[in-house]
Amino acid sequence: MQGYTPDELLELARSVRWQDQVTAATRTNIKPEVLDALMVPGLHHEVTLSLISRPGVTEEELAWLAEHTDSPHALGRIAGHPEASTGTLKMIRDRAAGEAWEGWTHLHRFVVIMLAKRGVTDRA
């Protein structure tokens, strides 16, 4: 894996190409300014998935990603993440129940299954 300087990672995070953003998101020990540059509404789902899988991802980051992602797959991954709080899980449950994901029914079921595994099944 190619080594990147902090400035190069920041440049990749600010790129308009999601592939560059994934490169920045998959690095360990990335600086907060790189995360700040990546975590903007409208992230490509591959960038979101990379951030979810990053070692050391925090509950706050997961909550932000759950609120801003348009990816049912990412919501399912967040729902199954051990760092996701009950509040984040309930937000995902409410989004899964309220959003129409036409053509994504199997991923909607994935979200519901991951929530059920975490004990969040009924809507408030």
Side-chain angles (χ1 to χ4, degrees), residues 76-99:
R77 293 276 300 276
I78 294 167
H81 199 287
E83 293 298 319
S85 71
T86 302
T88 298
L89 295 175
K90 288 179 179 177
M91 176 186 28
I92 292 170
R93 175 202 57 205
D94 294 346
R95 284 195 69 190
E99 293 190 18

Side-chain angles (χ1 to χ4, degrees), residues 24-30 35 39 49-58 61 81:
T26 55
R27 302 297 164 226
T28 57
N29 301 321
I30 58 178
L35 277 177
M39 294 180 72
L49 293 173
S50 296
L51 287 168
I52 294 164
S53 302
R54 189 175 52 80
V57 66
T58 67
E61 292 166 353
H81 199 287

Side-chain angles (χ1 to χ4, degrees), residues 15-52:
S15 172
V16 295
R17 294 185 59 231
W18 67 265
Q19 296 91 338
D20 292 340
Q21 294 172 346
V22 166
T23 299
T26 55
R27 302 297 164 226
T28 57
N29 301 321
I30 58 178
K31 294 186 180 285
E33 56 267 17
V34 173
L35 277 177
D36 290 345
L38 286 170
M39 294 180 72
V40 294
L43 272 179
H44 188 281
H45 75 277
E46 290 293 342
V47 180
T48 303
L49 293 173
S50 296
L51 287 168
I52 294 164

